[in-house]
Amino acid sequence: MAASFLGRRIALTRRSFLKIPKRHGYIVLLPEIGEESSEKNPLLKDDNLPEFNTITIEKCIAAIGKQTVDFEEKMKSLEKIESTKDLDIFNDWLHPIEDAYLPLETTWGIAKTLYFGNQSLMPTKCYVNIHERATRAIASKFGSVPLFRACKEVLDNKDLKLTHSQRRVLMKYVLEGTLNGLQLQDKELDKYSSDLSYIMSKIKEYKAKYESSTAVYSMIVQNKEIVEDFPEDYLKSIAVNPRQPYMGPWMITLKPYILQPFMEYCPDRNLREAIWNADVIRCSNYQERSVQASVTLEELRGRRTEQAQRLGFKNYAEMSMETKMAGSLENLHNTLETLRQTALPVQKQEIANLTEFAKARDFNDTLRVWDVAFWGRKQLRSMYNSDENKWRAYFPLPTVLSGLFNHIETLFNVKIVESKKADIWHKDVWFFDLFDLNGSSAAPIANFYLDPYARGTQKFLKEQHSGWVSTIKSKSKIGNSTPLIALIFNFPPPVGDKPSLLSFKDVQVLFQKFGHALQHLLTTIEYSDIAGLSFVEWDAVFICDFFMENWLYEPFMLQKISEHYETEEPLPAEAIESIKRTRSHLAGYKLCKELYLSHLDLELHSSGTFWVPMMKRLWPKYFVLPLEKRDTHVCNFEAIWSGNWAAAYFSKVWSRMIAADLYTAFQEVKSDESQQKELGARFRNTFLSLGGSYPAAEVFRKFRGRDPSPQALLDNLGLTRATKETTK
């Protein structure tokens, strides 16, 4: 441990209800942070942290305008280099590009942070303009034919001595350039560019239809009996007058954070069916012509296929595998099928049990898809005494954070210390330094903001339980830049002396997002192009999220992060046991749903078959309940049509599978503290450190010593055990 670390105890002291329980910690005397580049970013203070106290929309727009022009001019000037014979590809091209990119990334990151965290400072329309301008400028980085050819030439030259990281950076430029069609000849490149433009126009067309179709629907509920079991937070979100959540009326819309809880809590089956129906027919031919999207998505599918075939791939799904850990469609389909073969029989038993449970409570009809969420919640509570509202009292945010920070510190040998040196965009935002206890430097290796509380419409909200990790700065040796991110959540705010009390789903989101953040904060790679989550395969991006979440089902972890906010009593043993068992509730049904959507997405992007017969053929392979006649969910599958996950929807299932396998290594040595620390160090030195400097499959092998297996996920979800029980 460095001599400059002085032992003392750390507490957050902003207000009494914000205090994190005391933990052994350290303080550090910090040197001033030097300039990161020759020209200062106008949105940064002298210490190179964002000047959030004075940032305005106008400043962000002006900064992004100048920086994007500067970046594009830099790219043009580099392309004018006539001879590449004596070119030093890194010093002459890639280092100047990185130096020009970093200020642009920071301004973009600041705008994104405000968009997620304070929409009064960064409204959606303004952010979208900044986002599109930044995206367009950065596209020039991987759209330069001279740079692509130079990188390919250097990479192919076996006589040149390059570091592993340098080779990986060049591989990124070559792969991105290849997928942008840069190896094509003039006319073919023009056709390919036309494909890309057409695809973008169709994505915009679909997005407009989807948003219109979503916005046009609402249902007004007047009957107080309907909402009597609804949680208070949810009532506030749907009440026409949020100040009187119990008075009514209440408006139900198709926004996910409204729709999902309604399906769980609404006792009126006819209302559930009505909302379900409105949801699944969005953008379909059941709606008015202006929002029908079937033709649009078929045009999009067709042009994506042409795009892939111009590059020599059979179809778009095959092309997608170039940026995925899964590697090939054959390997991916085999893995998904292995999971399905175990999950489907379990689902059959789950639906039979759920039907029996509902009938014992005077349900006298056939179970339909709009019944599963409602009866599932009731069954969960009955089977495991699962009461989210009762558990909340044991998860005050300060206690959860203290336990989470302690676990991160112990596992990865770091220290997290609150600092008051940074400007913040709201009084509830905290700022933290992250110190490396392995190193000798007194300076933090990374920093992060934490904005935990919901603030009505001021914050971006998509799903009921959601969080955001916004990158403001990447690690870069070239720009002398250390990682800086913002973690933004929508947890219940404190009231008086009562702290923020989290549901268990909130705690899951918190652990997931910190897992995501650690991969950015603890990277040791010197080039921003491959540091943190840059150049990590899409289906490996969420591995650390699910890895961290897995710890939540360990009794010691639940004890560490819980304490009744008034009595300080520990979480009861029966509650711990209930939480452990809730993960397996309807696990077969839920996994089959994700597998179905993954398979549907892959087939939509590898087959020319019209989507209606495709959907009808695939549905019974994954579901016990029949496909409803009016169910046209392909038309509102927004994630693959305008959400960047085309032929990649499987990514979260894959990440969850890999995370389960990695976590199993820790379970195998759970009773040995020294081995746990050794594994923690290895996990940090692989998944948290290496970023995109190695393929994810290779990083996995460095940690596990073998290739991944789907069995760990089946065990993790309790499906292996459930299969054995159903076959007895």
Side-chain angles (χ1 to χ4, degrees):
M1 188 179 297
S4 59
F5 285 82
L6 304 173
R8 75 172 181 89
R9 300 178 72 79
I10 298 171
L12 298 186
T13 56
R14 187 164 300 147
R15 292 179 296 281
S16 61
F17 56 73
L18 288 180
K19 285 185 180 177
I20 290 180
K22 292 181 179 180
R23 306 180 294 122
H24 289 291
Y26 306 88
I27 64 167
V28 181
L29 300 176
L30 300 178
E32 290 297 315
I33 302 173
E35 289 291 337
E36 292 180 0
S37 63
S38 56
E39 187 174 341
K40 186 177 180 298
N41 189 320
L43 304 183
L44 301 181
K45 300 186 297 180
D46 289 340
D47 61 4
N48 279 318
L49 290 173
E51 202 166 12
F52 278 116
N53 290 349
T54 61
I55 285 176
T56 62
I57 295 169
E58 291 76 18
K59 282 187 178 181
C60 282
I61 291 172
I64 208 80
K66 181 179 186 305
Q67 289 159 352
T68 51
V69 168
D70 289 347
F71 186 79
E72 288 162 343
E73 289 299 319
K74 173 65 72 174
M75 291 302 303
K76 288 175 184 175
S77 68
L78 293 172
E79 288 180 339
K80 289 177 182 176
I81 297 175
E82 293 182 3
S83 172
T84 60
K85 185 178 179 182
D86 298 316
L87 180 75
D88 182 332
I89 190 72
F90 280 89
N91 287 325
D92 294 342
W93 271 16
L94 297 180
H95 289 177
I97 289 172
E98 180 153 341
D99 207 36
Y101 165 74
L102 291 170
L104 169 56
E105 177 195 51
T106 297
T107 299
W108 189 11
I110 288 170
K112 189 184 300 181
T113 299
L114 291 176
Y115 170 63
F116 288 141
N118 193 337
Q119 293 207 325
S120 61
L121 291 176
M122 184 57 64
T124 299
K125 187 176 181 180
C126 295
Y127 174 69
V128 168
N129 290 336
I130 289 172
H131 174 83
E132 289 180 350
R133 186 68 189 92
T135 304
R136 204 159 56 242
I138 292 165
S140 65
K141 185 174 169 179
F142 301 113
S144 166
V145 174
L147 180 57
F148 166 74
R149 289 175 179 165
C151 288
K152 197 170 187 308
E153 188 179 318
V154 172
L155 195 58
D156 292 341
N157 189 340
K158 305 301 180 186
D159 296 329
L160 288 176
K161 290 184 179 179
L162 299 168
T163 66
H164 176 83
S165 288
Q166 287 175 330
R167 285 196 175 278
R168 192 68 177 160
V169 170
L170 293 173
M171 288 171 69
K172 177 175 182 175
Y173 274 84
V174 170
L175 177 60
E176 294 282 0
T178 300
L179 295 179
N180 280 326
L182 300 189
Q183 83 280 24
L184 300 174
Q185 298 305 311
D186 295 343
K187 287 187 178 179
E188 282 300 307
L189 181 54
D190 289 342
K191 289 178 183 177
Y192 190 80
S193 298
S194 175
D195 285 340
L196 291 175
S197 298
Y198 181 87
I199 286 168
M200 288 307 299
S201 71
K202 288 298 167 183
I203 287 173
K204 283 187 174 181
E205 182 181 313
Y206 173 84
K207 194 176 184 72
K209 290 174 183 285
Y210 178 83
E211 289 176 350
S212 296
S213 183
T214 301
V216 76
Y217 182 86
S218 65
M219 172 196 286
I220 298 295
V221 175
Q222 301 278 4
N223 188 348
K224 290 185 179 181
E225 291 181 7
I226 298 294
V227 304
E228 62 183 11
D229 283 341
F230 288 15
E232 183 179 357
D233 289 346
Y234 180 60
L235 280 177
K236 288 179 180 177
S237 69
I238 62 175
V240 174
N241 182 359
R243 294 179 181 177
Q244 295 183 312
Y246 296 97
M247 294 297 293
W250 301 271
M251 182 184 290
I252 311 303
T253 69
L254 299 180
K255 292 178 179 177
Y257 65 91
I258 301 294
L259 174 66
Q260 292 161 2
F262 185 82
M263 298 302 289
E264 289 182 24
Y265 284 94
C266 176
D268 188 313
R269 194 180 188 220
N270 291 330
L271 292 184
R272 293 201 306 271
E273 182 182 0
I275 287 290
W276 172 87
N277 181 71
D279 178 39
V280 298
I281 67 167
R282 273 186 291 174
C283 298
S284 75
N285 291 348
Y286 289 114
Q287 295 200 298
E288 63 178 65
R289 186 177 295 275
S290 65
V291 296
Q292 291 177 9
S294 181
V295 173
T296 303
L297 65 88
E298 286 298 321
E299 291 170 337
L300 187 50
R301 283 177 68 197
R303 192 58 67 94
R304 281 173 172 167
T305 299
E306 289 179 28
Q307 175 197 17
Q309 289 175 346
R310 287 192 205 282
L311 296 184
F313 298 99
K314 292 178 183 176
N315 50 59
Y316 191 84
E318 186 183 86
M319 184 174 82
S320 171
M321 292 301 105
E322 292 292 297
T323 57
K324 307 299 182 295
M325 180 184 178
S328 70
L329 285 174
E330 181 184 11
N331 182 47
L332 175 56
H333 280 302
N334 288 341
T335 303
L336 297 181
E337 177 61 15
T338 299
L339 294 171
R340 187 194 73 88
Q341 287 178 358
T342 297
L344 184 61
V346 175
Q347 181 197 160
K348 289 177 180 176
Q349 189 59 51
E350 289 170 346
I351 296 300
N353 292 344
L354 191 61
T355 300
E356 188 179 322
F357 174 85
K359 287 188 174 180
R361 285 151 184 82
D362 300 324
F363 178 75
N364 298 313
D365 206 335
T366 303
L367 203 71
R368 309 280 278 274
V369 287
W370 53 81
D371 297 317
V372 175
F374 175 75
W375 287 110
R377 181 185 65 83
K378 282 188 169 292
Q379 184 189 45
L380 180 67
R381 185 166 181 173
S382 174
M383 288 174 64
Y384 304 128
N385 192 26
S386 170
D387 188 344
E388 279 270 320
N389 290 326
K390 188 177 178 182
W391 289 349
R392 276 183 187 272
Y394 291 92
F395 292 116
L397 177 61
T399 303
V400 176
L401 275 179
S402 177
L404 172 59
F405 286 2
N406 180 267
H407 186 60
I408 290 170
E409 291 170 347
T410 302
L411 208 55
F412 305 127
N413 204 30
V414 296
K415 196 71 207 169
I416 300 169
V417 182
E418 193 199 8
S419 169
K420 307 287 186 174
K421 68 186 177 189
D423 285 1
I424 50 180
W425 56 91
H426 189 276
K427 61 183 177 60
D428 290 337
V429 177
W430 302 338
F431 181 78
F432 293 92
D433 293 324
L434 183 68
F435 298 100
D436 181 10
L437 300 187
N438 292 331
S440 57
S441 173
I445 58 168
N447 307 92
F448 64 92
Y449 299 90
L450 176 60
D451 185 358
Y453 306 132
R455 291 193 287 274
T457 57
Q458 194 179 101
K459 276 188 168 182
F460 180 81
L461 183 62
K462 186 173 183 181
E463 296 178 345
Q464 185 189 16
H465 302 278
S466 57
W468 311 97
V469 179
S470 175
T471 300
I472 300 174
K473 292 184 184 183
S474 294
K475 183 174 177 62
S476 169
K477 186 177 180 181
I478 307 307
N480 190 28
S481 171
T482 54
L484 174 65
I485 62 169
L487 290 120
I488 300 166
F489 301 95
N490 280 285
F491 300 144
V495 179
D497 290 331
K498 183 180 177 181
S500 171
L501 300 178
L502 306 188
S503 68
F504 186 68
K505 288 179 181 176
D506 290 331
V507 177
Q508 288 175 305
V509 170
L510 182 69
F511 270 62
Q512 284 179 11
K513 296 307 173 185
F514 263 93
H516 201 78
L518 287 172
Q519 208 166 346
H520 187 81
L521 296 170
L522 292 179
T523 189
T524 57
I525 304 305
E526 60 188 18
Y527 292 104
S528 67
D529 273 318
I530 56 171
L533 287 157
S534 296
F535 206 37
V536 172
E537 292 92 329
W538 287 40
D539 50 350
V541 161
F542 303 106
I543 289 173
C544 295
D545 302 49
F546 295 124
F547 170 78
M548 284 301 295
E549 184 195 345
N550 277 321
W551 291 98
L552 281 175
Y553 301 94
E554 297 288 353
F556 85 89
M557 179 58 70
L558 288 169
Q559 290 164 354
K560 183 182 283 192
I561 64 170
S562 65
E563 180 181 82
H564 195 283
Y565 78 99
E566 288 180 319
T567 65
E568 298 185 358
E569 291 175 356
L571 188 66
E574 60 269 23
I576 290 175
E577 187 61 28
S578 292
I579 288 172
K580 283 175 60 183
R581 296 173 68 187
T582 55
R583 181 157 58 163
S584 61
H585 181 252
L586 293 181
Y589 175 81
K590 292 172 185 174
L591 180 57
C592 279
K593 184 177 181 180
E594 291 303 299
L595 294 174
Y596 163 73
L597 291 172
S598 299
H599 192 165
L600 179 64
D601 169 37
L602 291 169
E603 192 144 336
L604 283 165
H605 288 101
S606 59
S607 162
T609 305
F610 185 52
W611 63 265
V612 175
M614 183 189 299
M615 177 182 69
K616 289 180 177 179
R617 176 173 51 82
L618 289 178
W619 181 274
K621 283 189 67 176
Y622 291 90
F623 291 104
V624 176
L625 300 177
L627 178 67
E628 297 291 337
K629 187 177 179 181
R630 284 169 63 87
D631 191 342
T632 51
H633 55 267
V634 174
C635 292
N636 69 29
F637 199 172
E638 187 264 345
I640 68 169
W641 303 128
S642 66
N644 296 323
W645 293 98
Y649 187 84
F650 74 91
S651 294
K652 282 200 174 181
V653 172
W654 189 272
S655 285
R656 190 181 285 275
M657 180 188 79
I658 301 299
D661 201 338
L662 294 169
Y663 183 68
T664 302
F666 289 84
Q667 288 182 303
E668 290 165 357
V669 298
K670 65 165 65 176
S671 58
D672 190 320
E673 191 175 324
S674 65
Q675 283 188 289
Q676 285 267 334
K677 285 193 172 185
E678 185 182 322
L679 277 177
R682 196 197 311 169
F683 190 84
R684 178 180 170 180
N685 291 334
T686 50
F687 279 91
L688 300 183
S689 170
L690 294 177
S693 66
Y694 288 87
E698 194 172 333
V699 178
F700 182 91
R701 284 191 290 271
K702 284 176 181 287
F703 181 83
R704 210 69 171 101
R706 57 167 173 77
D707 289 330
S709 164
Q711 187 58 46
L713 179 60
L714 297 172
D715 294 344
N716 199 295
L717 296 174
L719 293 173
T720 307
R721 183 183 68 249
T723 301
K724 291 176 181 176
E725 290 173 356
T726 56
T727 54
K728 282 182 181 178

